[in-house]
Amino acid sequence: MRIFLTGATGFVGSALIPELIAAGHEVIGLTRSDAGARALIAAGVEPYLGTLEEPGGLAKGAAKADSVIHTAFDHDFNRFVENCEKDRRVIAALGAALAGSGRPLVITSGVGMGSGQHGEPATEDVFNIAHRNPRIASELAMQVLLQDGINVSVVRLPQVHNPYRQGLVTPLIDVAREKGVVAYIEDGRNRWSAGHLSDVVRLYRLAVEAGEKGARYHAVGEEGVTGRDIAESLGRGLGLPVTSIAQEDAAAHFGWLSMFVSLDMPASSALTQARLGWHPAGPTLIADLDEARYNA
C-alpha cells in the first residue's frame, strides 16, 4: 500500500517507517519543516509538508494514499484540551478525504479510553463517550466517521518506551532532576500500562493491513507497572533518593504531570492479541529504564 503517515518524524512515526517499508509498503510522511523533509527522504519516504493546524492540507495528503496512519499529536500538555480538539479536527479531515473509498484510516488514542470500573484493566471493547479525559475527542471523531461509513480504527497507546524515551516517564525524569528527588504518590501502587516501541509499531502495521472498520487495539505489553517500581528504577539511574509524597502535594511537585501521575491506568491487550496475532516481545519498561541513557 501507499500509506500517508502523520507524525512521520516523531518518536513512534519515525520507528514505524522502517517497519512499513520492510513489509513492502510505500510511505508518504508528513513533516512541517525542510529539515524533516530531508530526513524523510534519507529514510526512503516521500515527504509531504503540512501542519496539524491546517487539516485541509493534510486531507490532500491523505487523498494521495491507499491508507492513512495518524500518529501525530501536539504534546504540549499545558494546552491539552485545545490539542485534543485539534486532533478531532484533523481526524475529521483525514476521514473526509477517504470517504466512499473503503481505504483504511488508523488513528491514535490512549488506553485510558478503555477504562472500566473498579480498577479493572482497560479493554478494547470499552468505549465511554462521557470519559472525562479530553483525549476522548479523538475517539468521538472516530465515531462520527464510522457513522459516515469511513473505514477507521484506532490504536490506543500506553507508555511507549525504549531506552531513550518512555512516554510520560520522560518528563518525570525532568521533574526528578529539578527537584533532586524521585517521588511517587502515597503507597505508589497505582499502575501504568506500557508497550515497547518495537511492538507498538508492529501493531500499527498489522492494524492498517487488517483494515477492520471500527476496531480498537491496545498496544500493551505490560498491563501495569507500579508508580513505586518506576520511581525506584529512576532513583537507581539518576542516583537520587526516592520518596513518597501525599496526593495533596502532587500539583506543587509535579506541575502539569500531576493530572496523570497518580492515575491507576492498567490495560489489557488480550483482545488485540487474539484478533491480530500480535504478541509483544520487547523489553519491559523497567528494563528500558535500567538501560536508559540518563547522561547522554
Side-chain angles (χ1 to χ4, degrees):
M1 286 187 288
R2 186 169 165 82
I3 299 173
F4 181 56
L5 173 64
T6 74
T9 59
F11 178 49
V12 173
S14 61
L16 180 53
I17 286 169
E19 175 76 23
L20 294 174
I21 290 176
H25 302 296
E26 298 178 34
V27 180
I28 307 168
L30 176 67
T31 179
R32 63 189 308 142
S33 70
D34 290 338
R38 290 192 292 271
L40 291 176
I41 291 170
V45 173
E46 177 185 334
Y48 184 89
L49 289 172
T51 70
L52 297 179
E53 291 72 27
E54 299 176 344
L58 304 190
K60 293 178 181 178
K64 300 172 59 176
D66 301 314
S67 60
V68 177
I69 301 177
H70 174 47
T71 68
F73 188 78
D74 187 337
H75 288 96
D76 179 356
F77 285 98
N78 290 309
R79 304 173 67 182
F80 186 48
V81 174
E82 179 181 336
N83 290 336
C84 290
E85 288 302 314
K86 178 164 60 177
D87 197 53
R88 185 204 296 260
R89 294 191 293 272
V90 169
I91 291 169
L94 293 172
L98 304 177
S101 69
R103 290 174 289 170
L105 164 63
V106 179
I107 68 166
T108 301
S109 181
V111 290
M113 302 307 99
S115 295
Q117 302 295 319
H118 311 300
E120 299 99 336
T123 59
E124 299 90 333
D125 55 356
V126 171
F127 171 60
N128 177 9
I129 62 172
H131 201 291
R132 293 180 297 172
N133 188 321
R135 193 66 197 267
I136 195 65
S138 302
E139 295 202 26
L140 291 174
M142 172 179 167
Q143 288 303 109
V144 172
L145 294 182
L146 287 172
Q147 292 167 9
D148 292 340
I150 309 300
N151 183 0
V152 58
S153 59
V154 61
V155 171
R156 291 170 168 171
L157 298 181
Q159 306 308 309
V160 181
H161 60 88
N162 66 8
Y164 300 93
R165 288 181 63 178
Q166 302 88 25
L168 290 174
V169 180
T170 297
L172 279 180
I173 294 170
D174 295 335
V175 171
R177 284 179 166 143
E178 176 189 349
K179 303 290 186 177
V181 63
V182 184
Y184 57 89
I185 304 296
E186 303 292 351
D187 61 8
R189 294 179 64 185
N190 64 296
R191 299 156 292 173
W192 286 0
S193 59
H196 191 267
L197 181 61
S198 62
D199 293 321
V200 171
V201 298
R202 181 159 42 88
L203 178 57
Y204 272 105
R205 176 180 61 79
L206 292 173
V208 78
E209 289 173 348
E212 181 182 348
K213 184 186 296 186
R216 292 182 168 87
Y217 304 113
H218 283 188
V220 171
E222 295 177 274
E223 285 197 0
V225 185
T226 69
R228 182 166 184 168
D229 284 345
I230 292 169
E232 289 177 346
S233 177
L234 296 182
R236 292 191 296 270
L238 293 167
L240 292 174
V242 179
T243 189
S244 168
I245 64 172
Q247 179 68 60
E248 56 265 30
D249 297 326
H253 185 89
F254 291 105
W256 66 264
L257 268 170
S258 63
M259 73 176 86
F260 300 108
V261 74
S262 63
L263 293 179
D264 191 39
M265 301 186 289
S268 169
S269 62
L271 294 177
T272 296
Q273 294 187 47
R275 291 167 179 166
L276 288 182
W278 172 80
H279 301 294
T284 66
L285 174 60
I286 298 302
D288 271 348
L289 289 176
D290 286 344
E291 291 295 321
R293 278 62 167 176
Y294 292 105
N295 298 313

